[in-house]
Amino acid sequence: IPETLSSIGGIASILGNGQQFADTWADAQVQKLSTRWRDHPEGPTAIDASTAAAIDAVSLHVRVAPSNVNFFADKGVLQITVVNDLDIPVHGVHLTLTPGQPRLRIEQQPGPLRIGAKSRTNVQIRITAVTGGRVPIKAALTAANGTPLGQNAHVDVRVQPTSTWIYWVLGAVAGIILVLGTYRSLRRGSTRATSPAAQEISLDV
């Protein structure tokens, strides 16, 4: 019962009409302790099923939209989309991002979110790329007391820091310049070597 009451409180905390939700389903948990169920053991089971369905009806409709992102910088902003499919606005929603690889670092987790009814919001998070590669980021939504919302989603980020690819670009440019310079030097040398043979010097006096 305490665990279920915690979930009820977490869901109620994000809803505009949360007090009504909390009163209804917390009272249902208290009713499970009634002696009336002695001859009807199926009663508490039915209450638990109804409570779980009510919690899921809210939590599963606040979610992170999965996405694939290319991040070609040393530092910058990663954008995550959070969706509210409910008919009422929600607030106090916490988004926590956990990179699956140390190639990318989250500088600061976002603050509590407010999302309008049947709407979505774009959350901007500052990140730092450590090294190149693919990084799956676990995106979890919770209420203020830690009650999970929605289902954990993954955002796949392809990381390529500027300090990595810029060296390849500069190296390629330097290589092209070296090849062109060598080619021009060889061409000039060949032209000078063949010039006297191509001309006839008159020795007549």
Side-chain angles (χ1 to χ4, degrees):
I1 290 179
E3 183 179 351
T4 302
L5 288 174
S6 177
S7 296
I8 292 170
I11 295 299
S13 71
I14 70 168
L15 298 174
N17 59 348
Q19 191 59 51
Q20 179 181 354
F21 183 94
D23 291 344
T24 300
W25 296 107
D27 180 68
Q29 291 299 301
V30 174
Q31 294 302 318
K32 286 169 56 178
L33 302 177
S34 173
T35 58
R36 78 183 73 167
W37 306 117
R38 288 179 179 176
D39 297 328
H40 303 282
E42 72 282 358
T45 301
I47 291 175
D48 283 341
S50 298
T51 304
I55 292 173
D56 288 346
V58 176
S59 67
L60 295 179
H61 288 84
V62 182
R63 55 188 175 83
V64 174
S67 61
N68 294 291
V69 180
N70 291 321
F71 187 75
F72 298 148
D74 290 328
K75 294 184 178 182
V77 174
L78 176 66
Q79 185 169 284
I80 304 294
T81 301
V82 181
V83 182
N84 174 22
D85 291 326
L86 296 171
D87 292 326
I88 57 175
V90 295
H91 59 271
V93 175
H94 293 257
L95 171 64
T96 303
L97 302 176
T98 306
Q101 296 285 344
R103 296 187 179 101
L104 185 147
R105 185 171 66 245
I106 305 295
E107 295 299 336
Q108 185 177 5
Q109 298 290 349
L113 308 177
R114 180 179 181 84
I115 314 167
K118 293 290 184 180
S119 184
R120 61 179 59 202
T121 186
N122 293 320
V123 186
Q124 295 187 336
I125 301 98
R126 298 204 64 82
I127 62 175
T128 297
V130 178
T131 185
R134 176 182 169 274
V135 181
I137 297 179
K138 177 183 175 183
L141 294 175
T142 60
N145 69 351
T147 299
L149 304 173
Q151 297 176 337
N152 290 337
H154 281 85
V155 177
D156 288 324
V157 182
R158 183 187 170 199
V159 179
Q160 191 66 56
T162 306
S163 56
T164 299
W165 63 263
I166 194 65
Y167 292 143
W168 285 100
V169 172
L170 293 176
V173 172
I176 293 173
I177 293 174
L178 178 61
V179 170
L180 290 176
T182 303
Y183 172 76
R184 292 180 64 183
S185 296
L186 292 175
R187 186 176 179 187
R188 286 177 182 173
S190 176
T191 303
R192 288 173 182 171
T194 57
S195 292
Q199 296 178 2
E200 297 242 351
I201 300 176
S202 176
L203 298 179
D204 294 336
V205 178

